[in-house]
Amino acid sequence: AVYRLSRHLTLRHIINVFFWIAVANAVIALVPLITTGQVEREFGFGLKTLDDIMMLTLPVGLVLYLWSNKLTGIAYLVGTGIAFVALLATQSRLPIMFGVFFSAVALFLALRIGHRAANGRHNGRTRAAIHRVAGFIRARIRLISVFAVILLAGVAAIRPGMLVAVWTRFADLAVAFTGGTVALRLVLWKTALVAFWDNPIFGIGPGNFDVIHQIYRYLRLDPIQTYVQGLSAHNLVLHYMAEMGLVGTLALVALLVNQFRLARFSFKNMHRASNPEVTLILYVLAAFFLITAFFEAAWMWGQMSFIFVFFVALIVRSCENLK
């Protein structure tokens, strides 16, 4: 449906819809924080997915800001700031790190685009215009840095407890391997590897990781299994290795790698695109999907699978438009 819709709307319009719906969800999640001042983890309507949605929204909003006029640029920058605060409010460590990292990657690639364009061979009039664009991108990245500092200072002044809670969660990583959610993930990852080792070709079957304690009865002797029973492996690749072995895992990795390849083709040919910022966004998100699949992601099930397929459709359409 999204692929067909992209024939009638520009890809930028469709990405705009995603961005502003994500910002609306961020606002909803921040309402309790604003009205009550509590520092509990906030997820709004996305009870298990808001952190993942916000980490995708950050680089999208920043790139849209870089390629927008002054008036709409302010809206994009404020919306991205709201998404960032909502991501902090979830206190989810890995999504925060991934969101910041891939935002930095998007800004770095934008700088390279401006630098290469400015150093290209063009006639005098075109070269002057490109220099203005390159300088415009650099100026806006500086504004992003200033805005980020002001935003964090504002949050620290208005709701200091939230930043303290986030800092505490990151500080807990020093001892997390002996307790906390990291220890639970290690148990899940170990269990997934055990299932894969016993069934390396086809795995234990789709959907069976939720009831793996019934397949391996000895797991019930581990007290931690009480807390992780019924959960996924909290790692997309390991989950597929456990449930579908090498056959399913190689198909999954092939899908992710192929989407990255298509997005890379569009990015390398962005000079022929009507909206070059779209090719940058899709390139960064394709790398996002591929890399996070080896750490922690749920791109193939639940609510996040809809977002994954949404952007896969846009990646395919972007590549076909350029071809």
Side-chain angles (χ1 to χ4, degrees):
V2 174
Y3 175 80
R4 291 179 177 179
L5 178 65
S6 62
R7 295 176 181 174
H8 310 288
L9 295 173
T10 67
L11 297 184
R12 168 137 188 177
H13 285 147
I14 298 175
I15 291 175
N16 276 338
V17 172
F18 165 81
F19 176 76
W20 290 115
I21 290 178
V23 172
N25 276 275
V27 171
I28 293 170
L30 290 175
V31 168
L33 181 68
I34 296 171
T35 57
T36 65
Q38 62 184 9
V39 294
E40 299 295 328
R41 301 180 68 182
E42 301 293 345
F43 290 89
F45 291 150
L47 298 179
K48 296 181 179 179
T49 58
L50 186 73
D51 46 0
D52 291 335
I53 295 173
M54 292 301 106
M55 73 176 180
L56 290 175
T57 304
L58 287 185
V60 172
L62 292 177
V63 174
L64 290 176
Y65 167 68
L66 292 179
W67 270 268
S68 59
N69 58 44
K70 185 176 182 179
L71 184 60
T72 57
I74 294 174
Y76 283 126
L77 188 58
V78 172
T80 305
I82 293 173
F84 179 60
V85 176
L87 179 57
L88 292 179
T90 65
Q91 301 179 27
S92 299
R93 291 168 295 204
L94 204 57
I96 291 174
M97 289 189 288
F98 276 131
V100 172
F101 173 75
F102 281 98
S103 295
V105 169
L107 295 179
F108 173 74
L109 291 175
L111 275 176
R112 288 191 62 187
I113 292 169
H115 179 72
R116 287 182 176 180
N119 291 333
R121 294 182 178 180
H122 307 279
N123 59 51
R125 184 175 179 181
T126 305
R127 188 175 180 83
I130 290 176
H131 270 290
R132 286 196 297 273
V133 172
F136 181 75
I137 291 176
R138 289 194 296 269
R140 287 219 160 174
I141 290 178
R142 288 194 291 268
L143 285 175
I144 289 172
S145 302
V146 174
F147 178 75
V149 172
I150 294 174
L151 183 65
L152 288 174
V155 172
I158 299 172
R159 290 289 182 266
M162 187 182 77
L163 292 183
V164 172
V166 173
W167 174 259
T168 301
R169 295 240 332 140
F170 276 95
D172 288 344
L173 284 174
V175 294
F177 290 96
T178 57
T181 57
V182 175
L184 298 182
R185 283 172 171 78
L186 291 176
V187 170
L188 289 169
W189 297 346
K190 180 181 178 181
T191 303
L193 289 173
V194 168
F196 171 72
W197 186 257
D198 287 345
N199 307 272
I201 306 300
F202 297 108
I204 59 176
N208 283 334
F209 193 83
D210 292 352
V211 293
I212 196 170
H213 59 281
Q214 297 181 13
I215 300 174
Y216 297 98
R217 298 299 180 109
Y218 69 86
L219 292 176
R220 297 184 177 186
L221 300 176
D222 187 350
I224 296 182
Q225 287 293 330
T226 305
Y227 301 99
V228 300
Q229 185 172 309
L231 298 179
S232 70
H234 274 273
N235 183 303
L236 186 60
V237 172
L238 288 180
H239 191 96
Y240 266 66
M241 288 171 61
E243 289 194 344
M244 288 183 277
L246 287 174
V247 174
T249 304
L250 290 176
L252 168 69
V253 174
L255 170 65
L256 296 170
V257 170
N258 193 49
Q259 297 311 309
F260 178 77
R261 183 182 63 82
L262 295 178
R264 186 170 181 268
F265 169 83
S266 298
F267 178 74
K268 293 179 69 174
N269 293 275
M270 67 185 307
H271 59 280
R272 295 194 282 117
S274 57
N275 295 108
E277 70 277 15
V278 169
T279 63
L280 174 56
I281 289 173
L282 296 178
Y283 181 51
V284 171
L285 293 188
F288 212 127
F289 295 135
L290 176 60
I291 293 173
T292 56
F294 290 89
F295 293 92
E296 180 183 43
W299 305 126
M300 301 301 290
W301 59 75
Q303 296 174 6
M304 297 310 298
S305 65
F306 289 93
I307 293 179
F308 172 71
V309 173
F310 174 84
F311 282 110
V312 164
L314 300 188
I315 289 171
V316 173
R317 175 59 72 186
S318 174
C319 184
E320 290 189 355
N321 286 346
L322 290 175
K323 286 184 178 180

